[in-house]
Amino acid sequence: MAFDSVKWDEAKDGVLNEAALRRKIESLGYSVTRHVYPPGTYFPDHIHGADKIDAVVSGRFLMTTREGTLVLEAGDYLEVPKKTVHRAEVLGRDPVVSLDAIRI
């Protein structure tokens, strides 16, 4: 797995907003669900049975896999292949508005 987030490119993708980020992820073949995680939220090591994307609309989300650690911010997303052990944590005082996507 290449461990790098995808950054929102305003020149290519337009103005960042939740609807635009959702459309971009859905165009990649994913079903998207919106979540709001309050400060202090922590997800310990876990896996999923399907390829997924974790995307951030607002806030800061720390994502960790065996390949490394990344901080996702507004407009960033990370592709997490199925069965990849990973964990996540909300950073800072602001909630994370997240688009959680599963490949369909």
Side-chain angles (χ1 to χ4, degrees), residues 1-103:
M1 168 176 127
F3 190 68
D4 200 11
S5 62
V6 176
K7 306 284 185 191
W8 188 262
D9 180 348
E10 196 164 297
K12 183 175 103 181
D13 300 320
V15 175
L16 174 62
N17 60 51
E18 185 173 331
L21 184 56
R22 176 184 288 269
R23 280 191 303 273
K24 181 174 182 172
I25 294 169
E26 287 174 341
S27 76
L28 299 172
Y30 287 80
S31 174
V32 178
T33 305
R34 181 184 194 266
H35 297 281
V36 178
Y37 302 119
T41 300
Y42 176 74
F43 298 97
D45 283 351
H46 63 284
I47 62 170
H48 297 278
D51 294 335
K52 77 182 295 273
I53 285 178
D54 285 302
V56 173
V57 176
S58 63
R60 298 176 72 225
F61 215 18
L62 180 71
M63 299 291 297
T64 303
T65 73
R66 289 187 180 126
E67 286 78 21
T69 299
L70 292 171
V71 176
L72 302 180
E73 297 179 322
D76 297 345
Y77 68 85
L78 178 65
E79 295 181 53
V80 182
K82 67 181 175 181
K83 300 189 184 199
T84 298
V85 176
H86 63 286
R87 63 182 174 268
E89 180 179 359
V90 174
L91 296 178
R93 295 185 200 143
D94 297 322
V96 165
V97 177
S98 172
L99 298 181
D100 186 63
I102 300 292
R103 185 176 299 280

